[in-house]
Amino acid sequence: MGKVEALGGFEQIVLLAIVRLSDAAYGSTIRDEIEERTARSVAIGALYTALDRLERKGYVSSVMSDPTPQRGGRAKRYYRLRPAGAAALRRSHEALTSMWAGIEVEGLGRTRS
Amino acid sequence: MTIFPPPRFAIWLHERSLPRDDREAVIGDLLEGYARRATRDPAGARRWIWSQTVRSLPLNVYRQWRSRIDRPEIATSRGGRIVNGIASDIRFAVRLLKRQPTTSMVALASLTAALGLNVLLVTLADAALVRPLPLRSPRDLVLVLLQRETNLMHNFSYPDYVDLRDRAHSVEALTAYAGISGTVQSGAGPAQPSDGEAVSGNFFAALGVPMRAGRALDESDDRAESPRAVVISEGLWHERLAGAPPSGQALLLNGEPYSVVGVADGRFSGMQIGQRAKFWVAMAHAAPVAGGDHLAKRNMSWLTLLGRLRPGVARQAARDELDAVLRSMRKDSGGDIEPVVLQAGARGDSTISAQLSTPLSLLLLAGGVVLLVACLNVANLQLARTADRRHELAVRAALGARRTQLLRLVAVDGLLLTCVAAAAGVAIAVWLQDAAVSLIAFYGQPVALDVSVDLRTVAVAAALASVAAIAIAALAALSLSFGGTASLSASRPTSRTRPAAQRALVVLQIALSMALVTGAVLLARTVDRLRHADLGFDPNGVAVVQLSTEQGRMPRSRTPAYFDDVVRAAAALPGVAGAGVSHVMPLDFGGSRTSLDVQGYTPAADEEMELNFTRVTPGYFAAMGIPLLQGRDFDERDRDGQPERVIVNATMARRYWPAGGAVGGRLRFNPKEPFAVEVVGVVPDVHYRMVRESAQPSFYVPFAQSPYDAGVLHVRFANASGGAATAIAAARIEELRRVVAAINPAVPVTRAHTLRDQIERNIADERMASAIGVSLAAVALLLAAAGLYATMAFVVGRRTREIGVRMAIGARALEVRALVLREGLMLAATGVVVGGALAIGVGRSLESLLYGVGSRDLISLIAAAAVLTAAAVLASWIPARRASRVDPVVALRDE
């Protein structure tokens, strides 16, 4: 209904991590993927808050795996991108590229000095 | 698993805080990350898991809360169930309220208005009747009084004070103060009449008066040889010194220079609550404002004594000691021996509570009624909602929900509304408090009340809100037991539902509003009667200018000549129909009295022969519009050295000369002298101290034969009548100020306004009661109308099908409209009849405030009934119109 909600910065990163991990996307791997690539520490609570929100928006879906002997026999919750999430990523990519068009990253902030 | 187990407590915290569904996956992720790190760096892994825990905990709690809202379900632990239950309840209530935004807003507005009004009233009553003076430990203060017959006097002379202070040891610090008035002047500005206090040297320190800037007065200031110092109020400080640090700036008090050494905190405005003292000077330097020998005379009783009990001394012991000291003193000096009485001194010698307790408690009562009406309103709206949800509740009950759970479902939105309304109500109270204080007057003067909103206000709001919430919940529970969950099959909404409980609430609301509106009408009519009371003079078109020759330091013997000049100058102005001077302002609550004997009249054994009298110059009666019934006005023959003459009023003439012939009658003021005072004229009765007083015998003496230290110039302006004449008088007051200043600039104008203003001040109590009463009644009326509207809208909604059928078989829109209107008016009529009975009780409780209207005044009852009926028609009109627009086809298909 109405306008399309914009993706938050962190939500975008989480979605991209899920895309990159394809079938192997669950809490631990998503967090590791993000920490590795962005060099920022991610609180697991923050990650799941974002995943919750993405799931409510219909951008991702999740399924519980069967329990494995690792992790004290605890099941994993696997996440998968849904078409709406893919569309949202595309929209935000388009928006960003069009906003970035013609801007030199190196030149940023130097114009005034 | 690793050989290094993860910190159990961190895991436990995660487990408790996470939504149930997510525990397994998240804990698994945590353990996986921990295991990978622990093999390389066990200590780092522990740090990592703790950092994860601390950072995630609030988010986990938030997610758990959200998951409760999305999927209300039974939590396992008891504590968790309560917390989750409340969270989900709030969420649920918000959703419910959003579903019916109009009714919710009406309910919220009702509660907010009622709570705001009540917080305001309670704050006012607290400030005027309860709150102590802003002094250090005010509860330890005692007021020293003397019992004279049945009265308690708090007047002591300065020598008395010094003796008591030095000889009584049970009182830690005995202080003395007296209210004084004088003019304040700084730089070239005009002299401004102001109230102040003369205080003993220990006053500020012993009482702990809060200071804003500079220093307090102390013992060293209270010596004849020390320089004259003054402490000023915060208001005067901003006004005169623009808030500059007080450092000995000069201030003229009654023309004498004082140096400003300090500024009292704005909360402190004198020892009488409501007073507006602007300056404080030491006793030793009070001469210019208190008269010359105020420190020496033992028979000049002008001080109030207030002390702080020494720790551990009982009040009774202190009383006995002070009493003994006073007795021994009086034995030496030969004065009357009167027993000492000690009273709580936390409020100084305030008399405002005696004056305001009746009107304020009536208003508090009315405020409570308004709150009740608002609660009924919310309960009513909730009933409508409950009826709509009957099916839902029945389903829940069938699925095993307990009664308390159902009640919570019904009551929770009321609770939420109350909380929001309480907060908004405090905001409204804060916003309106200055306006409310300006309504309160004490002897016609505006008062300074500390109504600052503090924790007490918030506590009051919380208490009121709790009462409201409980009332609403109780009403909701009541509705639930009215077969709210009877059975699943019977719970479907049908056109047969008769919301009996709802109707009862509306009738009750209307009845309460009827009572309040009647009270308000009675008060408004009282004010109107007071304004149009026959005062014995024509109050329109007269300006009054009060002049203090005392503050102008004019010897009393010269005042008759001065006032003659003033009258002559005023009378010479264009458009002036009459000018004269009296020694007091009429209707100023006070005046002079003297005892007398009348020749040929023998008073009864207990007859009081002390009468009110006024000193007047020739021309006064003409200026006031008082006709002479017999004899003549005073003139230039009635001077000092001539035989004394008086003019009496009609009541006095009738009482002492019942056979007629008052003119030529004789009396005396001194029983040792012959009957030498001659009556030269008779005038009608005039209201002397107050508008609401009955006729009393009183008389007039020539100003020239009995000079006085002040006078009030009365000037009547011609060429108009009524309000227009008063407007003319008001417009020419500045001109009069210039005229009197030209005659003698040293004599200050202490007050200048119209006679109409004076009447308004005199009836300020009644105006306050009426203003607050009318606003309370208006709120109650509005709430009752909203309640009726909501009920009728509900009824129409419920009967859509029935109305559709009626229209399908040929009922016209007009008839349908009449049907609904009739139902609304029936409810209103029932409420008005019940309320009429209540209104008679209200009238009785208001009796002491009424004037010129009876407590069962028929006109007021009819007027109130008319107002309520009009409101009922308006409230039913919109639902009626909606009913008449029902489309039969749609209505019938609906089922």
Side-chain angles (χ1 to χ4, degrees):
Chain A
M1 243 198 27
K3 69 175 184 66
V4 177
E5 271 186 80
L7 267 185
F10 187 59
E11 286 174 355
Q12 210 173 132
I13 288 176
V14 172
L15 278 183
L16 288 169
I18 292 172
V19 173
R20 289 182 166 279
L21 291 161
S22 66
D23 285 347
Y26 66 95
S28 261
T29 53
I30 299 174
R31 215 198 57 242
D32 288 348
E33 181 77 17
I34 297 173
E35 288 196 344
E36 231 166 74
R37 293 195 172 269
T38 64
R40 77 190 227 194
S41 156
V42 176
I44 198 140
L47 174 61
Y48 273 97
T49 310
L51 286 169
D52 263 6
R53 202 156 47 226
L54 291 170
E55 204 169 357
R56 264 203 310 279
K57 288 180 182 173
Y59 291 172
V60 298
S61 60
S62 69
V63 284
M64 292 298 282
S65 71
D66 293 331
T68 54
Q70 294 93 32
R71 345 192 321 153
R74 284 178 172 82
K76 298 167 183 166
R77 185 188 286 274
Y78 281 97
Y79 287 88
R80 191 184 286 274
L81 192 70
R82 295 184 64 194
L89 272 180
R90 259 198 305 278
R91 270 198 310 276
S92 94
H93 182 250
E94 277 163 20
L96 284 177
T97 34
S98 107
M99 288 305 290
W100 276 107
I103 299 178
E104 296 270 331
V105 177
E106 269 66 34
L108 277 182
R110 294 213 190 129
T111 45
R112 250 178 279 167
S113 59
Chain B
M1 283 301 291
T2 56
I3 41 170
F4 304 106
R8 297 174 68 95
F9 186 52
I11 301 296
W12 183 84
L13 280 175
H14 263 284
E15 249 174 18
R16 304 302 307 171
S17 62
L18 278 167
R20 201 177 162 67
D21 285 358
D22 276 347
R23 279 181 204 162
E24 180 147 3
V26 177
I27 306 273
D29 287 345
L30 266 179
L31 291 178
E32 188 184 325
Y34 175 79
R36 209 167 57 235
R37 284 172 175 79
T39 48
R40 283 176 279 129
D41 174 12
R46 289 178 72 86
R47 275 201 304 279
W48 176 81
I49 211 158
W50 272 114
S51 129
Q52 284 288 335
T53 310
V54 170
R55 285 159 67 197
S56 299
L57 215 56
L59 292 159
N60 288 356
V61 172
Y62 165 74
R63 289 179 60 221
Q64 187 172 73
W65 181 70
R66 283 227 50 142
S67 75
R68 290 288 145 204
I69 294 159
D70 294 342
R71 296 177 288 254
E73 64 191 38
I74 298 127
T76 44
S77 81
R78 197 163 158 274
R81 192 161 64 223
I82 291 171
V83 172
N84 297 337
I86 291 172
S88 91
D89 282 352
I90 291 176
R91 173 75 186 169
F92 185 64
V94 170
R95 243 176 15 217
L96 271 182
L97 294 173
K98 273 172 152 175
R99 202 189 290 166
Q100 290 169 306
T102 321
T103 28
S104 303
M105 285 315 291
V106 170
L108 188 62
S110 307
L111 267 181
T112 303
L115 282 173
L117 264 176
N118 274 281
V119 169
L120 193 61
L121 283 175
V122 172
T123 313
L124 276 183
D126 175 48
L129 309 179
V130 182
R131 202 176 279 204
L133 287 164
L135 303 172
R136 174 164 38 82
S137 324
R139 307 275 169 219
D140 301 341
L141 298 176
V142 288
L143 199 58
V144 185
L145 303 167
L146 292 178
Q147 175 110 40
R148 182 173 300 164
E149 289 159 17
T150 55
N151 295 325
L152 290 177
M153 316 293 292
H154 51 76
N155 290 337
F156 292 84
S157 69
Y158 190 74
D160 279 349
Y161 161 63
V162 172
D163 286 348
L164 280 172
R165 181 191 63 196
D166 296 344
R167 287 158 69 178
H169 302 292
S170 52
V171 177
E172 197 168 73
L174 191 63
T175 66
Y177 65 89
I180 49 181
S181 53
T183 60
V184 171
Q185 198 176 2
S186 64
Q192 208 176 47
S194 307
D195 289 330
E197 282 173 335
V199 300
S200 56
N202 59 1
F203 178 86
F204 279 85
L207 301 183
V209 175
M211 295 296 291
R212 177 74 178 75
R215 66 170 181 88
L217 295 175
D218 57 30
E219 300 280 8
S220 68
D221 293 304
D222 197 14
R223 292 191 196 113
E225 66 275 13
S226 58
R228 282 176 179 165
V230 62
V231 165
I232 59 175
S233 71
E234 203 174 330
L236 195 61
W237 182 47
H238 289 300
E239 192 183 312
R240 292 297 165 119
L241 302 183
S247 53
Q249 287 96 331
L251 199 69
L252 297 178
L253 295 181
N254 274 359
E256 296 285 334
Y258 284 74
S259 62
V260 179
V261 296
V263 179
D265 190 275
R267 287 170 293 153
F268 183 71
S269 59
M271 292 301 286
Q272 286 209 345
I273 286 173
Q275 182 194 0
R276 288 173 189 252
K278 289 189 175 158
F279 62 88
W280 291 266
V281 295
M283 293 280 171
H285 298 301
V289 268
D293 38 11
H294 59 289
L295 296 183
K297 283 187 177 168
R298 206 175 268 278
N299 61 0
M300 179 174 164
S301 299
W302 63 300
L303 298 177
T304 300
L305 304 194
L306 193 73
R308 201 178 277 286
L309 286 184
R310 205 169 279 287
V313 174
R315 195 185 282 181
Q316 185 60 36
R319 190 216 78 87
D320 292 345
E321 194 205 359
L322 285 169
D323 197 57
V325 172
L326 198 75
R327 270 168 203 281
S328 72
M329 275 159 45
R330 287 285 156 90
K331 214 172 278 168
D332 302 341
S333 65
D336 292 340
I337 294 177
E338 291 155 330
V340 169
V341 174
L342 291 191
Q343 267 189 357
R347 289 168 58 81
D349 57 327
S350 301
T351 50
I352 190 167
S353 47
Q355 183 81 5
L356 290 180
S357 61
T358 310
L360 277 178
S361 27
L362 285 173
L363 291 171
L364 280 177
L365 201 66
V369 174
V370 170
L371 187 58
L372 182 59
V373 172
C375 289
L376 289 172
N377 221 349
V378 177
N380 203 341
L381 297 170
Q382 232 164 4
L383 277 185
R385 200 176 288 147
T386 315
D388 271 344
R389 291 169 58 200
R390 197 159 285 187
H391 185 65
E392 173 207 331
L393 293 174
V395 170
R396 282 177 189 266
L399 291 176
R402 270 170 302 163
R403 228 182 144 63
T404 49
Q405 285 173 317
L406 289 185
L407 179 58
R408 211 169 70 182
L409 282 174
V410 182
V412 68
D413 47 345
L415 198 66
L416 188 69
L417 276 179
T418 323
C419 291
V420 176
V426 169
I428 286 188
V430 171
W431 180 53
L432 284 178
Q433 60 189 4
D434 288 339
V437 171
S438 70
L439 277 178
I440 293 189
F442 187 52
Y443 287 123
Q445 302 295 316
V447 297
L449 280 181
D450 178 18
V451 290
S452 49
V453 166
D454 52 11
L455 273 179
R456 292 155 65 108
T457 320
V458 176
V460 165
L464 286 169
S466 318
V467 170
I470 290 169
I472 293 167
L475 289 161
L478 216 62
S479 79
L480 213 58
S481 42
F482 271 133
T485 58
S487 72
L488 197 49
S489 60
S491 66
R492 285 209 161 274
T494 66
S495 61
R496 291 202 154 273
T497 319
R498 305 292 286 184
Q502 241 175 301
R503 284 153 194 267
L505 292 189
V506 167
V507 167
L508 194 54
Q509 270 186 302
I510 292 173
L512 291 173
S513 309
M514 169 76 188
L516 282 185
V517 171
T518 311
V521 174
L522 284 173
L523 291 173
R525 271 170 62 77
T526 291
V527 169
D528 183 64
R529 286 298 173 90
L530 286 168
R531 281 191 181 134
H532 296 106
D534 181 9
L535 301 168
F537 57 85
D538 175 7
N540 296 313
V542 179
V544 283
V545 180
Q546 189 179 50
L547 297 157
S548 173
T549 48
E550 183 180 22
Q551 289 175 24
R553 302 204 177 173
M554 183 181 288
R556 193 176 273 196
S557 58
R558 280 183 45 208
T559 59
Y562 166 73
F563 284 117
D564 276 348
D565 290 345
V566 168
V567 170
R568 211 171 296 123
L573 292 174
V576 169
V581 163
S582 70
H583 84 289
V584 287
M585 189 80 89
L587 304 176
D588 213 26
F589 299 102
S592 302
R593 287 168 79 80
T594 182
S595 53
L596 50 75
D597 294 326
V598 177
Q599 191 171 33
Y601 180 84
T602 317
D606 57 347
E607 186 175 343
E608 195 185 31
M609 291 300 284
E610 195 181 271
L611 304 184
N612 292 331
F613 75 94
T614 313
R615 303 171 170 95
V616 300
T617 64
Y620 168 79
F621 293 113
M624 284 287 275
I626 302 173
L628 271 161
L629 300 177
Q630 294 166 36
R632 65 168 177 88
D633 189 4
F634 296 132
D635 56 30
E636 60 282 356
R637 283 170 288 174
D638 309 310
R639 272 176 289 117
D640 194 24
Q642 297 296 312
E644 283 184 78
R645 283 152 190 154
V646 297
I647 291 174
V648 302
N649 75 353
T651 300
M652 182 167 174
R654 258 197 315 278
R655 181 175 299 176
Y656 302 125
W657 294 277
V663 174
R666 283 176 179 274
L667 42 90
R668 64 183 176 197
F669 300 120
N670 185 341
K672 290 170 190 146
E673 286 174 4
F675 290 97
V677 183
E678 186 194 347
V679 177
V680 297
V682 179
V683 291
D685 293 337
V686 162
H687 289 239
Y688 182 73
R689 290 165 196 255
M690 295 172 72
V691 175
R692 51 189 318 162
E693 72 183 4
S694 49
Q696 290 173 11
S698 72
F699 63 95
Y700 300 85
V701 302
F703 198 102
Q705 292 183 339
S706 176
Y708 191 69
D709 289 326
V712 181
L713 171 66
H714 297 59
V715 182
R716 173 172 297 280
F717 293 92
N719 304 332
S721 62
T726 297
I728 290 174
R732 294 191 61 179
I733 283 173
E734 286 313 307
E735 190 182 344
L736 291 176
R737 280 180 187 274
R738 283 196 300 274
V739 167
V740 296
I743 294 170
N744 186 339
V747 176
V749 171
T750 40
R751 274 189 287 171
H753 44 70
T754 65
L755 208 45
R756 271 277 164 216
D757 292 337
Q758 186 64 16
I759 293 171
E760 291 297 305
R761 283 185 193 202
N762 198 264
I763 61 174
D765 273 0
E766 289 85 355
R767 282 194 297 135
M768 167 186 78
S770 162
I772 304 184
V774 167
S775 27
L776 285 173
V779 172
L781 185 68
L782 216 62
L783 297 185
L788 183 62
Y789 163 75
T791 305
M792 293 315 297
F794 176 76
V795 167
V796 167
R798 204 28 63 86
R799 292 171 64 182
T800 307
R801 190 180 141 84
E802 178 203 328
I803 293 167
V805 171
R806 280 172 188 268
M807 294 187 82
I809 59 175
R812 278 173 304 146
L814 194 69
E815 288 164 345
V816 170
R817 216 174 295 160
L819 185 80
V820 177
L821 270 181
R822 192 161 55 228
E823 184 156 356
L825 284 177
M826 274 308 291
L827 287 178
T830 318
V832 165
V833 171
V834 177
L838 287 177
I840 290 171
V842 168
R844 196 165 304 146
S845 69
L846 287 178
E847 220 147 35
S848 66
L849 287 173
L850 298 183
Y851 175 86
V853 284
S855 60
R856 296 174 174 207
D857 182 46
L858 199 60
I859 296 174
S860 303
L861 277 172
I862 292 172
V867 167
L868 275 152
T869 311
V873 170
L874 277 177
S876 314
W877 177 252
I878 301 167
R881 213 180 47 171
R882 195 181 307 150
S884 71
R885 289 185 181 168
V886 165
D887 181 347
V889 179
V890 175
L892 293 176
R893 201 171 45 205
D894 226 25
E895 275 289 300

